[in-house]
Amino acid sequence: MVKRGHEVFLIGTGDSQTSAELIPIVPESLRKAYTKDEIDTWRSFLKIFYIPEIIKKIDDLKPDIVHNHYAWRLIQFSDFICCPMYTTAHGPLKSFYERFTFQHHPEANYISISDHQRQALPNINWVKTIYNGIDVSQFQVGPKERDYFAFLGRTSPEKGLREIIQLIRQTSFKLKIAAKVDTVDQPYFDQHVKPFIDGEQIEFIGEIGPAEKSNFLKNAKGLLLWLNWEEPFGLVVTEALACGTPVIVNPRGSMPELIIDGQTGYLVNSLEEMQAKLSQVDQLDPLACRRRVEEHFSASKMAEEYLELAGKLTG
């Protein structure tokens, strides 16, 4: 939006990296400011504590529109905000707080990040689905010959890493895992992932940053996910496709909206079917995967759609 000449203010942490004008609420990310034992309590408290200050800063700025990423916390104060607001729902809409507040304010302007996400709360005012976008220029299409499958994301039960590891162990293929281990997922990692990391067939790389993702994904034969929840979007899927890397996953949540079965990956209904598709990914066109992201999931397209909607809501 800044590149398109709009004046944008970001209300966030003081260490945020942005081309917008930053309006800091706290000096730094709460993850940096507090220990693992403290973070959950402080984060829950401060996200409520700073709402009056956030509303005051919005009132001082008097913007044309507010884009709310603060979910239910800000929705309940809509009447105290001086301009139109739209809210992007980022998660699967499972929390009691979110569901109660959204249902209590069904008239607010809600944006879904996939059509499937709406099924959790179908009766609120969904004004548009706008898919998450990535900077496609940060990702390169890899070589034709690739020698491992990739897992990228969180080592959590929702992403099905345990199932994928057990599947790969029944084959001759290699799996490389680039993932973070959150505190809540440590027991899962210790029991279901760590014992099977041998550095040869199963390799654990750890958490990687944006600069490393492209190299990791573009050299993979395919990205594997086995979803045990209704994935609201799945940025890792679009990042893989941008590298020309097909995705094999079960069709839960947004996956049928992101992947064209048989063209940019495979939607499978069982782990046995996933295993059968491992030897078929080389038949898929990497450039078709890349085009899918350029046409539907780029940051540029995302910004255009948010700006178009903002124009409609502000008259």
Side-chain angles (χ1 to χ4, degrees):
M1 293 181 179
V2 172
K3 288 179 180 178
R4 284 163 173 72
H6 294 273
E7 189 176 20
V8 181
F9 300 91
L10 174 65
I11 299 178
T13 65
D15 57 352
S16 298
Q17 301 298 308
T18 177
S19 58
E21 183 173 335
L22 181 61
I23 311 293
I25 289 292
V26 293
E28 61 181 358
S29 165
L30 300 184
R31 290 187 180 212
K32 296 179 182 177
Y34 298 97
T35 66
K36 289 183 178 181
D37 293 335
E38 297 172 324
I39 184 63
D40 288 340
T41 299
W42 276 104
R43 182 161 51 188
S44 298
F45 168 66
L46 292 177
K47 282 184 175 182
I48 300 297
F49 180 81
Y50 283 111
I51 286 175
E53 185 174 344
I54 290 170
I55 294 174
K56 177 65 166 60
K57 289 183 182 297
I58 292 172
D59 193 55
D60 290 342
L61 290 169
K62 293 181 172 54
D64 296 312
I65 195 164
V66 168
H67 188 177
N68 173 28
H69 297 277
Y70 218 39
W72 63 273
R73 299 170 189 84
L74 203 57
I75 285 289
Q76 58 187 322
F77 295 99
S78 299
D79 290 344
F80 300 95
I81 293 175
C82 59
C83 62
M85 179 172 73
Y86 51 27
T87 296
T88 296
H90 288 285
L93 305 178
K94 293 192 302 182
S95 86
F96 165 79
Y97 310 106
E98 199 164 41
R99 292 177 64 85
F100 183 90
T101 307
F102 285 10
Q103 288 173 318
H104 196 69
H105 296 274
E107 76 292 341
N109 301 308
Y110 297 102
I111 299 168
S112 50
I113 56 175
S114 67
D115 290 338
H116 184 277
Q117 184 190 32
R118 300 184 180 196
Q119 294 181 17
L121 290 173
N123 297 320
I124 62 176
N125 182 35
W126 295 108
V127 291
K128 193 174 181 64
T129 290
I130 300 180
Y131 293 121
N132 287 333
I134 61 172
D135 182 354
V136 185
S137 68
Q138 292 185 352
F139 299 89
Q140 295 81 44
V141 176
K144 186 174 182 180
E145 299 297 326
R146 310 180 187 196
D147 67 351
Y148 62 87
F149 284 94
F151 177 94
L152 177 64
R154 292 183 289 116
T155 55
S156 64
E158 293 92 343
K159 305 292 185 176
L161 181 54
R162 174 180 62 175
E163 290 89 336
I164 290 167
I165 288 174
Q166 295 307 318
L167 180 149
I168 287 292
R169 293 181 72 225
Q170 299 173 36
T171 73
S172 60
F173 293 109
K174 295 180 180 180
L175 175 69
K176 291 189 179 183
I177 303 165
K180 66 178 179 179
V181 184
D182 286 330
T183 305
V184 68
D185 296 321
Q186 190 69 52
Y188 174 86
F189 176 81
D190 292 340
Q191 182 177 353
H192 299 295
V193 178
K194 190 174 180 180
F196 304 103
I197 299 170
D198 58 14
E200 296 181 3
Q201 186 181 25
I202 311 290
E203 183 179 347
F204 184 75
I205 297 172
E207 188 173 6
I208 58 176
E212 302 163 286
K213 281 184 182 180
S214 179
N215 189 57
F216 175 73
L217 290 169
K218 76 179 184 180
N219 288 299
K221 296 169 72 68
L223 176 76
L224 305 181
L225 294 170
W226 184 259
L227 299 176
N228 293 312
W229 75 329
E230 302 304 319
E231 182 73 62
F233 184 75
L235 274 173
V236 63
V237 171
T238 57
E239 292 169 342
L241 295 178
C243 294
T245 301
V247 180
I248 309 179
V249 63
N250 51 332
R252 294 193 66 171
S254 64
M255 294 301 105
E257 297 174 55
L258 305 189
I259 299 163
I260 303 176
D261 187 39
Q263 294 185 29
T264 62
Y266 297 109
L267 298 171
V268 297
N269 294 306
S270 68
L271 290 167
E272 291 76 16
E273 188 179 348
M274 176 180 282
Q275 183 173 335
K277 294 297 184 183
L278 297 180
S279 59
Q280 298 180 28
V281 290
D282 293 340
Q283 301 171 15
L284 302 180
D285 181 5
L287 296 182
C289 297
R290 174 78 174 197
R291 284 194 299 271
R292 176 74 175 155
V293 178
E294 291 173 337
E295 293 171 3
H296 298 280
F297 309 116
S298 70
S300 176
K301 180 175 177 58
M302 176 181 65
E304 289 171 5
E305 294 195 7
Y306 274 115
L307 286 169
E308 179 185 1
L309 180 58
K312 291 178 180 178
L313 295 179
T314 57

